[in-house]
Amino acid sequence: MSKICRICAQNEFLCQACNEKLKSGSITETDVAVSRAIYKIAPAASFIRSIGNSMVLILADKNNAARLIGRSGRNAKLLEKELGKKMRVIEKSEDKQMIENIFGFPIIGINVLYSKEQRYRVRVQKQFQRRLRHEYVEAVNALLDKKVDVVFE
C-alpha cells in the first residue's frame, strides 16, 4: 500500500492521479519523498503515514516497520541517507505506546478530555522536560489527529 503508484515511485515526476492526490492534500510532499526512498531500498515495504520537516517520522504496521528498519537498522540508515534527514520508524500500536516511541521516554499516562473536540493530556515526569522537543508534540498531534497537551508532574 504505497502512497503513490509504482511508476511515480520510479520516476521524478508524478502521474496525473498521484498529482491530484498531492493537490487535494490526501498525500504530502513528505509522503512522496518517503515512498520513492522506500521503493528504492525496500520495495516490498509500505507505510501508513509520514510527517516531518527537519526529521521524518514514518508510521507503519508491525510487519512493515520491521522491513523499513531492516537487520541491524540497515534499511533505516539507507532511508536516512536517501532522504537526507534523520528518520524514525514508529510502529502503529495503542496511543500510549506510540507517544512513548515518539518522545523517546516513558510517560505517566494519558487523560482524555472531552470538550468541543477530544483532546489528550499527556502526563510526563518533570525530569524529562528538557528532552521533550516541540516538534515531537507536533508529530503526535499529526499522527493521532488529536490535540495533545503535555503536562509535567
Side-chain angles (χ1 to χ4, degrees):
M1 175 179 81
S2 180
K3 297 288 182 181
I4 59 175
C5 66
R6 188 182 341 172
I7 296 169
C8 293
Q10 293 172 340
N11 299 311
E12 63 181 78
F13 299 105
L14 293 176
C15 68
Q16 186 175 359
C18 293
N19 201 19
E20 286 299 318
K21 285 183 188 178
L22 185 62
K23 285 181 181 176
S24 70
S26 61
I27 62 173
T28 63
E29 289 286 345
T30 305
D31 288 332
V32 173
V34 168
S35 294
R36 287 179 173 155
I38 288 173
Y39 184 78
K40 288 179 185 175
I41 294 161
S46 64
F47 66 102
I48 298 169
R49 194 166 181 191
S50 68
I51 58 166
N53 292 325
S54 61
M55 183 172 107
V56 177
L57 290 173
I58 300 174
L59 180 65
D61 62 22
K62 184 175 184 173
N63 294 332
N64 285 305
R67 286 184 188 137
L68 290 172
I69 295 169
R71 274 209 170 104
S72 301
R74 180 182 171 274
N75 290 347
K77 291 173 189 170
L78 291 172
L79 282 170
E80 279 186 351
K81 187 176 180 181
E82 184 71 30
L83 293 170
K85 299 178 181 179
K86 287 284 188 188
M87 182 214 68
R88 287 177 61 188
V89 177
I90 305 296
E91 182 181 320
K92 179 127 176 93
S93 57
E94 55 185 68
D95 292 345
K96 183 178 186 226
Q97 185 65 40
M98 284 184 7
I99 293 171
E100 285 178 343
N101 288 340
I102 292 170
F103 285 178
F105 50 79
I107 61 173
I108 297 171
I110 300 173
N111 295 350
V112 181
L113 306 174
Y114 298 98
S115 58
K116 295 177 185 170
E117 62 201 30
Q118 187 176 345
R119 300 170 65 107
Y120 280 173
R121 177 177 292 149
V122 178
R123 297 180 1 251
V124 177
Q125 290 179 358
K126 200 170 197 83
Q127 70 188 36
F128 298 114
Q129 188 169 6
R130 286 189 163 176
R131 289 180 50 193
L132 182 64
R133 296 169 56 184
H134 182 68
E135 60 191 41
Y136 292 164
V137 177
E138 291 175 357
V140 170
N141 284 333
L143 285 178
L144 298 180
D145 290 326
K146 293 181 174 82
K147 178 71 176 139
V148 175
D149 299 321
V150 179
V151 177
F152 297 98
E153 300 179 352

